[in-house]
Amino acid sequence: MIQTVLLDISGVLYQGPEAIPGATEALTRLRSSGLQVRCLTNSTRQPKHRIMDKLRDLKFEIQPEEVFTPVAACLDWLSRTGHSPRLLVHPALEEEFSACDRNGPPAVIVGDAAQEFSYENMNRAYRLLQNGAPLIALANNRIFKDEDGQLSLDAGCFVKALEYATGIRAQLLGKPDPGFFRAAVASTGAAPAQTAMIGDDAESDIAGALVAGLAEAYLVRTGKFREGDETRFAPEPTDTVSDVCEAVACLTGLAA
């Protein structure tokens, strides 16, 4: 029996400046049905507090401890290993690393750096990697749906470029890393086999969740979804639905 539901944020709960129609009510329906909720995002263009501000502005009732980001996993990794971050991230994200120890051996941290993915910055990261620094990817998504409604290149493309140039395999800390899903599930006291995922990315959200051992995964036709995604990656989704409202209806047994 499903006890916990994990949801992606951008493309599932909101897109650009607006909530997906019915998404706030869908989240309320999950809670009123006795299901626990956690939100997992690979967004690395803004710090967590801005994500929380936007969710609250859009009337979503979500607490900070219910939102899991790759940065939190990265900060834990840096603390455990004693590495010092060398950032290739969006400038807005740099504040998340302000308290990090800068005296340890360097580690290259890559997020969605947008315009910061310049030759100079990529080459600086390459040279650090050549000198032995580990490569840490906050996410490896191929594409995302941008603010203008069009698809844009995501951080995974640039992570792959660094992997290709150096022969080093990145350590992934966001989706679809199984540990990222399992940490969110563990915070609820449930097991992966008692958990479902709702997402718009067939590779990172859906296939990633099922590989991590989640029982069900629902692919929504909002956000970055493109026709054919439902069969593009394995494992395939439990079901492909119109939006988060229909996914919640499937999970709660109530009409959307």
Side-chain angles (χ1 to χ4, degrees):
M1 177 180 293
I2 299 298
Q3 296 183 7
T4 295
V5 179
L6 310 183
L7 303 98
D8 186 25
I9 296 179
S10 179
V12 174
L13 296 181
Y14 62 65
Q15 183 59 59
E18 298 181 352
I20 299 292
T24 55
E25 294 83 359
L27 199 63
T28 299
R29 180 180 294 181
L30 284 175
R31 297 188 193 281
S32 64
S33 298
L35 298 172
Q36 298 186 84
V37 171
R38 294 292 185 270
C39 294
L40 280 67
T41 178
N42 270 5
S43 175
T44 55
R45 282 198 179 184
Q46 55 187 337
K48 179 175 174 176
H49 71 84
R50 292 191 186 177
I51 296 172
M52 292 303 307
D53 288 345
K54 183 170 183 177
L55 287 167
R56 288 167 177 149
D57 287 345
L58 293 174
K59 309 305 181 186
F60 288 101
E61 295 184 4
I62 298 176
Q63 299 305 311
E65 61 271 19
E66 295 177 317
V67 176
F68 284 70
T69 71
V71 172
C74 185
L75 293 174
D76 178 68
W77 182 88
L78 289 167
S79 177
R80 287 187 288 105
T81 65
H83 282 84
S84 173
R86 300 296 187 269
L87 300 174
L88 184 50
V89 300
H90 194 280
L93 198 69
E94 293 179 0
E95 66 179 74
E96 296 263 45
F97 296 88
S98 61
C100 289
D101 184 358
R102 302 290 173 172
N103 297 317
V108 175
I109 313 297
V110 183
D112 181 5
Q115 285 76 15
E116 297 302 307
F117 280 130
S118 64
Y119 175 82
E120 180 182 6
N121 289 339
M122 289 286 286
N123 199 48
R124 183 181 296 113
Y126 164 77
R127 290 178 175 179
L128 286 166
L129 296 169
Q130 284 293 90
N131 287 327
L135 176 58
I136 306 299
L138 298 180
N140 68 352
N141 300 70
R142 303 168 191 263
I143 58 172
F144 72 101
K145 193 167 185 179
D146 218 327
E147 293 292 330
D148 62 2
Q150 301 296 311
L151 296 178
S152 293
L153 295 177
D154 210 335
C157 306
F158 301 92
V159 172
K160 289 298 182 184
L162 290 171
E163 287 183 328
Y164 175 77
T166 62
I168 295 171
R169 185 178 180 86
Q171 180 174 343
L172 177 65
L173 296 182
K175 296 176 291 185
D177 175 55
F180 191 56
F181 290 99
R182 292 169 185 161
V185 175
S187 74
T188 72
Q194 299 168 312
T195 306
M197 176 74 197
I198 302 173
D200 67 330
D201 188 317
E203 184 177 20
S204 291
D205 294 337
I206 304 305
L210 294 172
V211 167
L214 273 64
E216 300 175 9
Y218 294 85
L219 178 63
V220 296
R221 295 179 181 272
T222 53
K224 69 174 69 172
F225 174 84
R226 295 175 294 170
E227 289 300 327
D229 280 355
E230 62 271 30
T231 58
R232 205 181 306 276
F233 303 101
E236 295 180 6
T238 304
D239 198 2
T240 302
V241 296
S242 59
D243 55 22
V244 65
C245 302
E246 187 176 351
V248 169
C250 293
L251 287 164
T252 61
L254 300 173

